[in-house]
Amino acid sequence: MSTVTVLVALVVALAVVAAVVGTVLVLVLRERSRSTVLEGETAAAHERRVAQFDERESRVEERRRALDELAARLHAAEARLTAGESALAAATAELARERERQQAALETARDRHEADLAQARAQHEADLAGARAEHDAELAQARTQLTTELAEARARHTTELAELTPEQARAAVLADAEAQTRSEVARRSREIEREAAEQVEWRARRMLTTVVQRMAASVTADAVTTTVTLASDDVKGRIIGREGRNIRSFEQVTGVSLVIDDTPSTVVLSCFDPIRREVARRTLDELVADGRIHPTRIEEVHARAESEVEAHCRAAATDACLDVGIDGLHPDLQETLGRLAFRTSYGQNVLHHLVESAHAARLLAGELGVDPAIATRAAFLHDIGKALTHDSAHDPSHDVQGGHALVGADLARRCGEHADVVHAIEAHHNEVEPQTLEAFIVQAADAISGGRPGARRESTEDFQQRLRRLEALALSHDGVERAYAVSAGRDLRVLVLPDRVDDLGAAELARTLAKQIEAELSYPGQVAVTVIRESRTTEIAR
């Protein structure tokens, strides 16, 4: 029993040992397999990490190369900037030296001019003193001779008086005294007149020199073109439009030539009429800024631009009145003045010319001791008739006869201006004989403003006059609605009313205008006459 028990216990112990050994073997085998798997996974992860590291290293290398290239470009840009700054500094220094040279030349010329003037004045005074001495000597000799002759005549006369009655003697003595007095008065009158003429000439020169020196006025001359800057060259295509319809519509509506060439981001507006050119510039600026460019939009923006220019003219007239200190102008006069804000005469802006003339007239009146109010007002209004004569040259409905002086005087008279102001306006070009001191002051002020070097350009005025005559010639025909001289006068475009001129009439009008231009005008090259007849029908869908 005990042996069996021992055996059973032994068997049980062996079974337990075997189970433990089996469990241990299983755990060892599982751990080994797990280690193998982990080693495989670790190797794969290591390879992936190595690949990722290589990829990151390549990216870092690429970024390093990019940074090197960027640093090289930055260095080159810094070098160019340094070179530009050096060039700018050199140009600035050269400009400063040139300004110093010009200032020195101007001071030298001024000193030379003052020295020449002083020398001329001294020479003139010396010549005058010499002439006066010679004249005094001749006068003394003549007086001595006259005294001798008078003494002899008196002796003869005394002899004759001895035979006269007292009444006859008294009459003879009075006649002799009257003759001597008349001779002395005539001599003194001639001396006073000569001295007065010398003093008047010297005072006039000094007065004009003082006025010109005290009147600071800019020297400007208006051109016949306006440059408009665009954001990019792509806008030029939209301005031209499909098959050129936009640019044709723009030129037809505004009456201004639109020049589009190879100049980067720039177009040019060409027209001799400055108001029409300004309206076209504002129209084009708004169209480009808005981006919508088509014929209907062009007409809308053009109408709005015309209103803006009219408002600008009114503001310019108000500013000019404030500048010269004139108030109480009739509304018609102020409106007419506003039209001169864009008018030019021989390249000089007419409104600026009126302001300069008013300042010069005020200074002249102060030098002469005259009330400056009438002279200043007359000088400020003396060229107002140019607005009316210019309009009549382009619009037959403005039927104005006579020169701008007479036309302006008539307008001032109708608006209730003082009679002296009206007379000074109509007499400033001697179409009416000047009768007042204010009229002469206005003539002098007009000459001072227009005679400054660079103030006027006669060639520009001749060119504009030729273009005005082209348009006026076309507008004189029946059925013509508008006429524009474009391309520097080489192209005359005439818009006719379709209900009054048919196709055959348009062709006949073109031939007639070409013959009239050949017969009546003088011009370089040739002029193309284009008659445009356009019919429009509009219906509203509701």
Side-chain angles (χ1 to χ4, degrees):
M1 188 67 182
S2 59
T3 304
V4 174
T5 303
V6 171
L7 288 174
V8 172
L10 183 61
V11 171
V12 171
L14 289 174
V16 171
V17 171
V20 170
V21 171
T23 301
V24 171
L25 289 175
V26 170
L27 291 175
V28 170
L29 290 174
R30 185 179 297 171
E31 185 65 25
R32 184 175 297 172
S33 62
R34 184 181 298 164
S35 299
T36 304
V37 173
L38 289 175
E39 289 177 358
E41 290 178 355
T42 303
H46 178 70
E47 292 177 357
R48 285 195 301 272
R49 291 176 181 174
V50 170
Q52 291 176 357
F53 179 77
D54 293 339
E55 183 178 358
R56 291 178 181 176
E57 187 175 2
S58 63
R59 291 179 182 175
V60 170
E61 186 65 26
E62 291 178 357
R63 291 180 180 176
R64 184 181 294 108
R65 287 195 298 271
L67 288 175
D68 293 339
E69 294 177 358
L70 182 60
R73 288 198 299 270
L74 182 60
H75 181 70
E78 290 178 351
R80 289 195 299 271
L81 181 59
T82 303
E85 290 178 350
S86 302
L88 180 60
T92 304
E94 181 64 25
L95 182 61
R97 289 193 296 271
E98 182 65 23
R99 186 180 293 110
E100 292 176 356
R101 287 195 296 270
Q102 291 180 357
Q103 187 67 23
L106 182 61
E107 292 178 355
T108 303
R110 185 184 295 110
D111 296 340
R112 188 183 300 112
H113 176 71
E114 292 178 354
D116 294 342
L117 185 61
Q119 182 179 1
R121 185 180 293 109
Q123 182 65 31
H124 177 70
E125 292 177 354
D127 295 341
L128 186 62
R132 186 179 291 109
E134 293 178 359
H135 179 73
D136 292 341
E138 294 176 356
L139 187 61
Q141 183 179 359
R143 186 183 294 108
T144 302
Q145 184 178 357
L146 183 62
T147 302
T148 303
E149 294 176 355
L150 185 61
E152 295 176 356
R154 185 179 292 109
R156 291 193 301 269
H157 188 61
T158 303
T159 304
E160 294 175 356
L161 285 177
E163 302 175 356
L164 297 178
T165 64
E167 290 77 8
Q168 292 176 343
R170 186 182 299 107
V173 170
L174 291 176
D176 190 14
E178 183 179 358
Q180 294 181 10
T181 304
R182 287 183 180 273
S183 176
E184 183 67 20
V185 168
R187 183 181 64 80
R188 289 296 301 166
S189 297
R190 286 194 298 270
E191 291 180 358
I192 292 173
E193 289 177 356
R194 185 184 69 253
E195 293 176 358
E198 295 173 357
Q199 290 293 329
V200 165
E201 182 178 0
W202 179 80
R203 285 196 62 194
R205 292 180 181 275
R206 183 183 64 82
M207 190 182 304
L208 291 178
T209 303
T210 301
V211 169
V212 171
Q213 289 178 346
R214 291 176 60 188
M215 188 182 71
S218 59
V219 179
T220 58
D222 292 343
V224 295
T225 60
T226 298
T227 302
V228 179
T229 303
L230 306 177
S232 64
D233 286 338
D234 297 337
V235 183
K236 293 182 178 180
R238 296 205 303 271
I239 294 175
I240 296 173
R242 182 179 299 175
E243 298 179 355
R245 67 170 187 170
N246 289 345
I247 190 173
R248 285 197 302 271
S249 176
F250 182 87
E251 292 181 345
Q252 177 178 338
V253 171
T254 62
V256 175
S257 296
L258 183 58
V259 181
I260 301 178
D261 52 18
D262 296 335
T263 306
S265 302
T266 302
V267 296
V268 178
L269 299 173
S270 176
C271 179
F272 71 94
D273 188 340
I275 291 184
R276 195 189 303 165
R277 192 170 66 246
E278 177 64 16
V279 172
R281 184 192 67 80
R282 292 172 181 253
T283 302
L284 185 60
D285 285 342
E286 185 170 348
L287 288 172
V288 171
D290 183 65
R292 295 176 295 168
I293 305 178
H294 51 81
T296 304
R297 179 67 176 166
I298 290 173
E299 294 180 356
E300 296 175 356
V301 176
H302 178 262
R304 188 160 54 251
E306 283 184 332
S307 301
E308 294 176 356
V309 170
E310 291 177 359
H312 177 80
C313 290
R314 290 192 294 270
T318 303
D319 293 341
C321 292
L322 294 175
D323 190 4
V324 298
I326 290 179
D327 54 5
L329 277 182
H330 193 278
D332 291 344
L333 287 177
Q334 193 158 354
E335 181 182 357
T336 307
L337 276 175
R339 301 180 199 171
L340 299 175
F342 294 100
R343 305 296 185 199
T344 58
S345 177
Y346 294 97
Q348 184 184 26
N349 185 278
V350 178
L351 188 58
H352 294 170
H353 166 62
L354 294 181
V355 173
E356 293 175 9
S357 300
H359 288 311
R362 179 180 287 113
L363 294 174
L364 286 172
E367 292 288 334
L368 293 172
V370 180
D371 183 10
I374 297 294
T376 303
R377 198 177 188 93
F380 184 60
L381 299 174
H382 77 275
D383 272 347
I384 194 171
K386 287 186 176 181
L388 303 178
T389 56
H390 187 281
D391 292 341
S392 65
H394 299 277
D395 189 352
S397 63
H398 293 81
D399 188 11
V400 177
Q401 301 295 331
H404 71 273
L406 297 178
V407 172
D410 184 63
L411 176 62
R413 187 181 294 108
R414 292 199 310 269
C415 294
E417 287 294 323
H418 193 274
D420 291 341
V421 174
V422 175
H423 173 68
I425 293 174
E426 64 185 1
H428 79 274
H429 280 320
N430 290 319
E431 293 175 312
V432 175
E433 188 68 22
Q435 300 293 334
T436 62
L437 184 58
E438 288 81 3
F440 289 103
I441 291 176
V442 170
Q443 287 184 342
D446 183 23
I448 289 173
S449 176
R452 294 182 295 104
R456 295 187 173 185
R457 296 184 310 206
E458 186 171 0
S459 58
T460 303
E461 181 69 15
D462 294 340
F463 169 73
Q464 295 181 0
Q465 184 65 25
R466 178 166 60 85
L467 298 188
R468 293 192 188 101
R469 292 185 62 189
L470 277 174
E471 293 189 354
L473 187 63
L475 290 171
S476 63
H477 288 269
D478 185 37
V480 175
E481 181 183 10
R482 287 176 290 174
Y484 300 125
V486 297
S487 300
R490 293 187 295 271
D491 188 2
L492 177 62
R493 300 182 184 180
V494 182
L495 280 70
V496 299
L497 299 171
D499 55 345
R500 297 178 60 181
V501 179
D502 56 10
D503 291 340
L504 295 178
E508 181 64 25
L509 178 60
R511 286 193 296 269
T512 302
L513 283 174
K515 292 180 180 179
Q516 285 186 340
I517 292 172
E518 292 176 355
E520 300 179 14
L521 299 182
S522 176
Y523 52 90
Q526 61 185 11
V527 178
V529 180
T530 304
V531 178
I532 302 173
R533 180 177 179 269
E534 181 183 19
S535 298
R536 294 189 183 186
T537 303
T538 303
E539 293 291 341
I540 299 176
R542 296 181 175 87

